[in-house]
Amino acid sequence: MFSKVFGKPKQETNPLATLEKLNETLEMLEKKEKVLLRKAAAEIERAKEFTRAKNKRAAIQCLKRKRLYEQQVEQLGNFQLRIHDQMIMLEGSKATTETVAALRTGAAAMKAMQKATNIDDVDKTMDEINEQTENMKQIQEALSAPIGSAADFDEDELEAELEELEGSELEEQLLQPATTVLAPPLSAPEGKIRPPVRPAPRKNTAEEDELAALQAEMAL
């Protein structure tokens, strides 16, 4: 009863189904148009036959039916134009609807992403990354530094140790006895061989002479 009063509830229209239905209707109208055109052509042929038979009244009736068929063909042509126009608008609306739906989906996804990640979290993450990077640089510098480098020693202590070494070296040189410096041997001229130089006999002292005489007496 409610359906009789208020009518049938509206059903949701599917654009694809609607386009398919319009396309089927368009094909049906085209088929009817072809049938009507054939009928109109047949009426013309019949009118020609009645004209040759001198049956003017019958020929005029054929032409009237031909006019009716042509009117129906014209009407079907207008229907086809309306369906084409509706199909074009529906396809455009479908593209617009899909575009809006895609934009709405993108906006919702972007909103969800922004809600999941706020600016405070981004700043905190960047601070942690910078801190970790700085720590890693310090670790790398510590590992790459040479062991026992000059920067680990006190320059003043090294200077004092060097002065102490220089002082001890000087004391050792002063305590050493003086050594006679022998003159280098003279080189003989080429082609001449000089005999070795014998040292001159050393004169005995008086004590040495007395000792020698005593040894001689004891030998006798």
Side-chain angles (χ1 to χ4, degrees):
M1 180 177 179
F2 289 101
S3 60
K4 292 181 180 180
V5 176
F6 298 101
K8 295 182 179 181
K10 294 183 179 180
Q11 298 179 355
E12 295 182 359
T13 58
N14 187 357
L16 293 177
T18 304
L19 286 173
E20 185 177 357
K21 181 64 177 178
L22 290 174
N23 194 17
E24 292 176 357
T25 304
L26 186 63
E27 292 177 357
M28 181 267 296
L29 292 176
E30 290 176 352
K31 290 179 181 179
K32 285 187 176 181
E33 183 180 10
K34 290 179 181 180
V35 173
L36 292 174
L37 288 174
R38 285 197 298 268
K39 289 182 178 182
E43 293 296 335
I44 292 174
E45 294 297 329
R46 293 178 63 185
K48 289 180 180 179
E49 292 177 358
F50 286 127
T51 301
R52 286 192 292 269
K54 304 297 182 179
N55 190 349
K56 183 177 179 182
R57 183 178 179 182
I60 291 174
Q61 293 295 327
C62 290
L63 293 177
K64 288 181 180 180
R65 287 193 292 271
K66 178 188 74 75
R67 291 285 181 89
L68 292 175
Y69 290 144
E70 288 176 351
Q71 290 178 358
Q72 292 181 6
V73 168
E74 184 178 359
Q75 187 178 12
L76 292 177
N78 293 330
F79 291 165
Q80 293 177 23
L81 288 176
R82 289 182 178 276
I83 291 177
H84 278 296
D85 184 44
Q86 191 172 13
M87 290 178 67
I88 292 173
M89 293 181 64
L90 185 59
E91 289 176 352
S93 300
K94 179 176 177 294
T96 303
T97 304
E98 291 178 352
T99 303
V100 173
L103 293 174
R104 187 180 293 110
T105 303
M110 186 177 297
K111 184 178 181 180
M113 293 173 64
Q114 291 178 355
K115 185 178 180 181
T117 305
N118 54 25
I119 188 63
D120 295 333
D121 294 336
V122 173
D123 293 339
K124 183 178 180 180
T125 302
M126 292 303 299
D127 293 338
E128 292 177 354
I129 292 174
N130 294 331
E131 183 178 359
Q132 293 175 2
T133 303
E134 186 65 24
N135 292 336
M136 183 58 64
K137 288 182 179 179
Q138 294 178 1
I139 292 173
Q140 292 177 352
E141 290 177 358
L143 292 176
S144 61
I147 299 175
S149 61
D152 297 334
F153 302 103
D154 190 357
E155 294 292 336
D156 295 335
E157 292 181 357
L158 295 175
E159 292 289 342
E161 186 175 355
L162 180 59
E163 292 178 359
E164 185 178 352
L165 290 176
E166 291 177 352
S168 61
E169 182 69 19
L170 181 59
E171 290 179 359
E172 290 180 359
Q173 292 178 1
L174 293 176
L175 292 176
Q176 289 181 356
T179 56
T180 57
V181 180
L182 298 177
L186 298 176
S187 60
E190 294 182 359
K192 293 182 181 181
I193 300 175
R194 296 180 62 183
V197 179
R198 296 180 179 179
R202 185 174 59 85
K203 292 181 179 182
N204 295 331
T205 61
E207 294 178 356
E208 291 176 350
D209 292 340
E210 291 178 0
L211 180 59
L214 181 58
Q215 289 178 352
E217 292 178 357
M218 291 176 66
L220 295 176

